[in-house]
Amino acid sequence: MPSLDQDLTGLRLLAAFAHPDDEGFGSGGTLAMLVARGAAVTLVCGTNGDVGEISDPSLATQETLAQVRQQELRNAMDVTGVSDVRFLNYRDSGMAGTDDNENPNCLHQADSRAVIQALVDIMKEIRPQVVITHDPSGGYGHPDHRAMCRHTTEAFKLVGSSEDAGKQQGQADTVWPPEYLYYVCFPRSNFQRMWRTMLEMEITPPFASQDIDLVGTPDEEVTTVLDIGHYVDTKIASLNCHRTQIDPNGPFSQLPEDMMRDIMAKEYYALVEPYGMASGTDFVASLQ
C-alpha cells in the first residue's frame, strides 16, 4: 500500500492531456495522492473538448460546450487539489474520419512545432521532474490523445537536450531537465473485462465498432501499477464534475459499482524516459 505520510514537497509534475476529463480515469488518483503529499502539479489540457457529447441538454449547447467543459475541469481539479490548470485552446478534433478531424483549428491539424513549443515553454517555466501524458495508442485511438502523446514526448526530449535547461532564472544548480516521462495506460485486459461484463448484462459497449483485442495498451507495455485505493473517493468525486461527459445511463455507469471501484483503485503507467537517473529507477513505483 502507498506510504501515506511520504513527503513530496519540492516535487513538480506536469500532466499533459487532450481533453477535459482525460486526466480523471487513468491518473486522477495519482494526482490527488501527489497533491496530498505536498507535490506541485500543473495540468495542461490541449483542447477545450468542443465536440464531446452532452449528457444532458440543460448543461450546455454545442456552442457553449467548450466554455462549460473548461469550467468542469477547473471544478474537478478543485476537488483533486490541483490549482495550476492551463489550456492550449485548440479545438477538439473528434474521432478519426469525422468532419471535425479536418477542422483547421483542431489539435489534429495544428502545427506540431507550435504545440511542442508551447509545452516546452511551460516545462521551462515550472521545471517539472516528472511528466505524464497519454500513451501512443491514445487509449482507444483518439487522434487528440495520440497527438498530445507525440507532442509532449518531443517537448520532453527537446527540453532535455537544451543547453540552458539548468539555467532557468539563473539557477545553474537546479535539478533539471525533467527526469521521468510516463505514459498513462489503459490495459487491454481491463477493457476486455469491462466489455465482457457489458455483453453479459446486455449493454452495448462503447467503441463497439472497434476490435476489442486492439483497444487499450498491450498489458506487456505496462511497467508500473499504482494502488490509489485511499484516493478513489476523491478520484470519483473529481470525475463526477465532468457532468456533460458522464451519462448516468451510459454503459460504464451501468456496470456494477464494486467492479468499477476495483478497476479505478489501480492506475497504470509505462516508464518511457528515466533522464538523469540509474536505468530502471521508477519514481511512480517508489510511491507504493
Side-chain angles (χ1 to χ4, degrees), residues 20 56 58 69 73 87 89 91 99 108 138 145 150 155 163 179 181 187 220 224 230-231 237 240 249 263 265 273 282:
D56 181 341
S58 70
R69 291 194 70 182
L73 180 56
F87 294 89
N89 287 313
R91 191 178 191 274
D99 290 342
H108 180 65
H145 296 186
R150 292 193 306 272
E163 292 182 359
E179 299 164 21
L181 173 64
E220 62 271 18
T224 312
H230 289 287
Y231 298 89
N240 285 338
N249 299 311
I263 288 174
E273 295 284 356
D282 188 333

Side-chain angles (χ1 to χ4, degrees), residues 217-252:
T217 310
D219 284 43
E220 62 271 18
E221 294 182 10
V222 174
T223 64
T224 312
V225 181
L226 185 61
D227 186 336
I228 55 86
H230 289 287
Y231 298 89
V232 73
D233 287 332
T234 301
K235 176 178 179 174
I236 292 171
S238 180
L239 275 166
N240 285 338
C241 291
H242 297 286
R243 297 176 62 203
T244 59
Q245 303 308 296
I246 297 177
D247 183 353
N249 299 311
F252 291 111

Side-chain angles (χ1 to χ4, degrees), residues 3 14 65-66 80 97 113 122 142 145 158 164 227 229 231-232 244-245 258 273:
S3 172
L14 172 68
L65 184 59
T80 301
R113 294 168 298 182
I122 294 171
H142 197 296
H145 296 186
L158 184 60
D164 68 347
D227 186 336
Y231 298 89
V232 73
T244 59
Q245 303 308 296
D258 58 345
E273 295 284 356

Side-chain angles (χ1 to χ4, degrees), residues 166-185:
K167 301 177 182 178
Q168 300 301 308
Q169 300 179 9
Q171 298 175 359
D173 60 343
T174 299
V175 178
W176 185 252
E179 299 164 21
Y180 296 102
L181 173 64
Y182 286 92
Y183 292 155
V184 178
C185 301

